[in-house]
Amino acid sequence: MSRAEMDKLGWDSCDIILITGDAYIDHPSFGMALVGRLLEAQGYRVGIISQPDWTSVEPFRALGKPNLYWGITAGNMDSMVNRYTADRKIRSDDAYTPNAEPNKRPDRAVTVYCQRAREAFPGVPVIAGSIEASLRRIAHYDYWSDKVRRSVLFESKADLVIFGNAERALVDVTRRIAAGESIKNIRDLRGTAFLVPHGWLPDQEWSVHNSTRVDVPGRVDPHPNPYAMAQEDTKACATENAQPEPEVKPIVIMTREERQAAAREKARKTVVRLPSFETVSEDPVMYAHASRVFHLESNPGNARALVQQHGDRDVWLNPPPLPLAMDEMDGVYDLTYARAPHPSYGKAHIPAWEMIRYSVNIMRGCFGGCTFCSITEHEGRIIQSRSEPSILREIELIRDTTKNFAGTITDLGGPTANMYRLSCKDKKIEETCRRLSCVYPTICSNLGTDHSKLISLYRKARAIPGIKKILIGSGLRYDLAVRSPEYVKELVTHHVGGLLKIAPEHTEEGTLSKMMKPGIGTYDEFKALFDKYSKEAGKKQYLIPYFIAAHPGSTDEDMLNLALWLKKNNFHLDQVQTFTPTPMAMATTMYHTGKNPLAKVTEDSEEVVTAKSGKTRKLHKAFLRYYDPENWPVLREGLKRMGRGDLIGNGERHLVPPPGSEQEATPRSERKALPLVAESRGAAPKGRVIEVATRRNGRGNSRNDPAPFVAPPGKAKPGILSTIKTKPKAAGRK
């Protein structure tokens, strides 16, 4: 972080300098810390430049010239999502910045940081990574500029983009650069993207398939009639109508396994050419087609390389990285982290750190395939889980080293709370599968849904001395949970702190089908189990549902029906989400093109109704907060326009009261706060919204402290692992 720290460590230079748009927090939930510690463990000297002032090149020279390369990331979030609301308004705070101060990172931070790094020390290789670069690796619709933009490789001028689970690719590329290999020649690593001349292929054995061989877009021309008469032009008879001499090939009889092996080998040397940037930027049907093909080629077990032309150059994407094995995941998360923000921030409040400081990440990836989410595109759909001992060790480490720990672990989770160690029952089936989701439209019969390993983890975590409570804060996939009532009982009895987050997202089938989410009946099934086991445990507990407004496929009538469902169930949602089109998500494709890439895309295929105007999006959001007087004028106007003025009135069946209501005239600041959520009439908890005051002058005086940032020593306390029998590792494994 500073020259003083380098001097303290005896470094005259850094091998790699990492630049991030977040405050530097040395914790494995933050990608920059994970990458830095991983490279450090490989013997490299790693420097970190956090949230540099991008208006000048000097902050990028603070640690000198890197010996090997620059590593660039916007941070844990896409910089545009981080800085702008769904209405394209600047956010007033930044959870990843000390004291939540806004405007500490630029728009399109990866591009800006790459350009500044290149300017600081020309000739040094630049590698971009993390979610912003990952989701912009090909031509993509950009919501904030409302146009299709080129691959981030063009604007950033990065030499390489590493996407997805980057650990293996990162270590390999670092070793090869350190050995003297030019980054321009590193073209064979999974999970990497780079620019090449148009038509470039790795060698002569490679073949190119047009994307139309994967999925046929647009108008389909009729096949020629094989029985039609040949043309009678005598001038052409000797050339076009004459049959060529047949090529004699020997017949080779192959077993099924040999045929499959040959097909896999051919796919390994095949690249699928997507429609060019110029084509997808002008033709919505071809954009939707490209999106569909991209997602069909996302399973690392069978994905082929992709290439997309941009002018006279091609963007080449190698297949996604293979998932990390359990011991590899353990190796990454068991590295020595300080588990705290950098001392230079003093006592500054960093909301993102406060949220995760007592939580543990137990897995990566998601096979849900929700179209509005980009987890699958980034981390993959195959679940990568840590071992039980590794997770339990981290819980003990939190207990022994984290300041102000009071005995409560706030989360054991990840992208989802209950996909830990769930996988396909057959590895061969998993490697050949091309489904976009393992749980939609129904849960795949080949998917293991046994939650017993997660139940075992919960029980052992609770038994650790000094641990008073283990809460589950990650979102729950309830359609999987209902397959294991024992898990629901364990969760509800021991791991819910009164409120549990759950995400039905919508109630209407038309919208849910565009989200790839289960029907609301599955929610009802889960709620019945939740209520049953809460009652048996003698606890009053409530579900907090999350819903999305203005999602593609959601009509005004759909949102009205959702509002009526909320009113019927007496839900008062305080925090609601309006759909934000993020790069590469399939719902973003629906938003931009009006086409549904979940099925074959043609000119005549299904049109997806999408709320795009500010007025309609505001109405959809108002439906989710139907009880708020500030929304009543918008709702009255919308209901009248829809011909549903019968829902305006003071009766139980009405959605909003008529004009002139008493509460409507009361300023919002003087109104009594409404409950956060209610599960049944007359039984609502006293919900509240907690607002954390921003401390503008809370920074400490330790900015000039040159002491290196290292993990604190642990306190000697009983270890739970000593009581758990584990299988010895196989010989030869590390």
Side-chain angles (χ1 to χ4, degrees), residues 676-693:
L676 174 67
V677 59
E679 284 298 314
S680 61
R681 298 193 183 283
K686 294 181 180 179
R688 57 194 177 121
V689 178
I690 300 175
E691 295 184 359
V692 181

Side-chain angles (χ1 to χ4, degrees), residues 549-609:
H551 190 278
S554 185
T555 64
D556 294 351
E557 288 73 18
D558 289 336
M559 292 306 302
L560 170 58
N561 290 334
L562 173 53
L564 293 173
W565 184 90
L566 293 171
K567 181 176 173 62
K568 177 182 177 181
N569 290 276
N570 199 25
F571 278 117
H572 287 178
L573 308 180
D574 191 81
Q575 296 179 342
V576 299
Q577 179 183 359
T578 304
F579 171 69
T580 302
T582 53
M584 208 173 286
M586 297 192 85
T588 300
T589 297
M590 299 179 198
Y591 177 92
H592 170 57
T593 67
K595 292 293 182 179
N596 184 3
L598 300 178
K600 287 197 173 188
V601 180
T602 69
E603 291 283 357
D604 302 322
S605 62
E606 178 189 6
E607 291 290 334
V608 180
V609 177

Side-chain angles (χ1 to χ4, degrees), residues 231-242:
Q231 55 182 317
E232 298 180 0
D233 184 354
T234 54
K235 295 181 180 179
C237 284
T239 56
E240 296 185 25
N241 283 339

Side-chain angles (χ1 to χ4, degrees), residues 379-449:
E379 293 187 0
R381 72 177 190 180
I382 298 174
I383 303 303
Q384 301 155 82
S385 301
R386 297 169 62 184
S387 71
E388 215 174 57
S390 174
I391 295 166
L392 298 175
R393 278 195 298 269
E394 184 170 353
I395 294 173
E396 291 181 334
L397 196 61
I398 292 173
R399 176 198 65 188
D400 296 344
T401 64
T402 305
K403 187 177 180 181
N404 299 325
F405 179 65
T408 298
I409 297 295
T410 56
D411 189 25
L412 291 181
T416 52
N418 62 320
M419 288 187 182
Y420 177 70
R421 299 189 69 173
L422 298 188
S423 62
C424 189
K425 296 175 182 177
D426 189 323
K427 192 68 177 176
K428 292 183 179 179
I429 293 176
E430 178 185 86
E431 290 177 349
T432 57
C433 180
R434 296 177 73 83
R435 280 184 60 159
L436 298 175
S437 170
C438 298
V439 292
Y440 185 86
T442 58
I443 296 176
C444 179
S445 60
N446 295 308
L447 178 66
T449 58

Side-chain angles (χ1 to χ4, degrees), residues 174-228:
T174 305
R175 287 175 176 170
R176 290 167 67 169
I177 293 175
E181 187 172 354
S182 170
I183 195 170
K184 300 294 185 185
N185 296 329
I186 301 176
R187 296 290 183 255
D188 57 347
L189 293 179
R190 278 181 166 267
T192 59
F194 43 86
L195 295 178
V196 292
H198 178 57
W200 176 88
L201 293 173
D203 57 53
Q204 294 182 349
E205 296 181 7
W206 278 75
S207 60
V208 181
H209 283 187
N210 191 283
S211 62
T212 56
R213 296 183 65 170
V214 179
D215 193 71
V216 180
R219 181 173 60 86
V220 180
D221 292 324
H223 291 290
N225 184 352
Y227 301 105

Side-chain angles (χ1 to χ4, degrees), residues 353-365:
W353 160 243
E354 298 296 334
M355 183 178 69
I356 61 90
R357 66 189 305 181
Y358 305 130
S359 68
V360 179
N361 195 333
I362 66 174
M363 46 78 69
R364 283 186 193 167

